[in-house]
Amino acid sequence: GAGVSQSPSNKVTEKGKDVELRCDPISGHTALYWYRQSLGQGLEFLIYFQGNSAPDKSGLPSDRFSAERTGGSVSTLTIQRTQQEDSAVYLCASSPGRSNQPQHFGDGTRLSIL
Amino acid sequence: KQEVTQIPAALSVPEGENLVLNCSFTDSAIYNLQWFRQDPGKGLTSLLLIQSSQREQTSGRLNASLDKSSGRSTLYIAASQPGDSATYLCAVRQGDSWGKFQFGAGTQVVVTP
């Protein structure tokens, strides 16, 4: 499709397990963002990729969280040793790089930690 | 640290009324401000983006204004329809970190037929 694609749409896992969330941005978009949306909360910035530059990881809440972006396209957000407070909707967005263009969001991955 | 606040948190209006949604931010050093709509279980849809040098943007029934010096933006939706029911979020793009957006918590809007 033409939009940002995220998978899985829902993920239920046990506390302590590792999870991987995938984001496929719009083709040609060089900027990619990850956000977390907890119940009743606003969106929390996690990490930002721009082309081949070093990512801005300043929003990652702990060292259990990491993300990579391979080949400047698909990105994977990994959460190790998941905890119940990690339960949230994880949203990915992309935009055409360093321009004042709007972000385009995927539908998110709803993560539930039992 | 930038703080973005949206008031009210929830709003219910009868169909046909105009909607006024408010967004305030504490640090005026922004690149731009964006308004989004979020439907339940979905991601965000961009509605309007206002550059820091602009005062307003319009698209159809939507109009967004920006007063950077006072740290305020207002989204107006004219002649509301039930299909406008959603949560509306504003986000500011910070001047000191290109990729970092700061979001408000949103205003949940219900338009009753």
Side-chain angles (χ1 to χ4, degrees):
Chain A
V4 177
S5 178
Q6 291 188 247
S7 61
S9 54
N10 285 283
K11 177 72 176 179
V12 180
T13 193
E14 293 180 346
K15 177 182 171 182
K17 300 284 189 183
D18 297 351
V19 295
E20 283 190 355
L21 312 179
R22 177 188 167 106
C23 172
D24 201 338
I26 292 173
S27 178
H29 281 190
T30 57
L32 188 147
Y33 316 77
W34 282 99
Y35 296 90
R36 177 168 71 176
Q37 187 174 33
S38 302
L39 189 63
Q41 303 291 318
L43 269 75
E44 175 188 11
F45 166 82
L46 297 177
I47 189 169
Y48 160 68
F49 295 89
Q50 170 54 52
N52 296 322
S53 301
D56 179 350
K57 304 180 182 180
S58 60
L60 295 178
S62 78
D63 58 8
R64 296 186 296 105
F65 287 72
S66 64
E68 63 177 22
R69 189 177 184 193
T70 53
S73 181
V74 172
S75 177
T76 303
L77 177 68
T78 301
I79 309 173
Q80 296 178 310
R81 306 181 301 282
T82 53
Q83 303 188 1
Q84 288 186 331
E85 60 262 31
D86 299 334
S87 296
V89 176
Y90 290 81
L91 290 163
C92 175
S94 70
S95 70
R98 285 190 169 267
S99 59
N100 276 338
Q101 295 294 314
Q103 297 178 90
H104 299 265
F105 279 79
D107 285 343
T109 294
R110 183 173 299 277
L111 178 64
S112 300
I113 309 299
L114 303 178
Chain B
K1 180 189 171 189
Q2 177 74 271
E3 300 283 344
V4 181
T5 304
Q6 291 189 246
I7 294 173
L11 183 61
S12 180
V13 299
E15 182 177 4
E17 271 199 16
N18 297 331
L19 284 163
V20 181
L21 308 178
N22 297 299
C23 172
S24 61
F25 48 95
T26 55
D27 185 351
S28 62
I30 63 171
Y31 275 118
N32 57 42
L33 183 145
Q34 199 165 352
W35 281 94
F36 294 89
R37 167 189 174 131
Q38 186 174 30
D39 294 289
K42 295 291 186 181
L44 280 65
T45 300
S46 179
L47 298 174
L48 290 168
L49 184 147
I50 313 175
Q51 311 294 0
S52 61
S53 58
Q54 296 176 321
R55 299 284 292 184
E56 67 176 347
Q57 278 286 337
T58 299
S59 175
R61 294 184 296 112
L62 277 60
N63 174 277
S65 65
L66 174 64
D67 184 343
K68 216 173 70 159
S69 60
S70 67
R72 293 180 187 174
S73 177
T74 302
L75 178 66
Y76 301 89
I77 303 177
S80 61
Q81 303 169 359
D84 295 329
S85 299
T87 297
Y88 292 82
L89 297 102
C90 69
V92 297
R93 194 168 207 171
Q94 278 305 111
D96 63 347
S97 179
W98 181 260
K100 191 177 296 183
F101 282 77
Q102 187 71 32
F103 280 79
T107 295
Q108 187 174 14
V109 171
V110 174
V111 181
T112 54

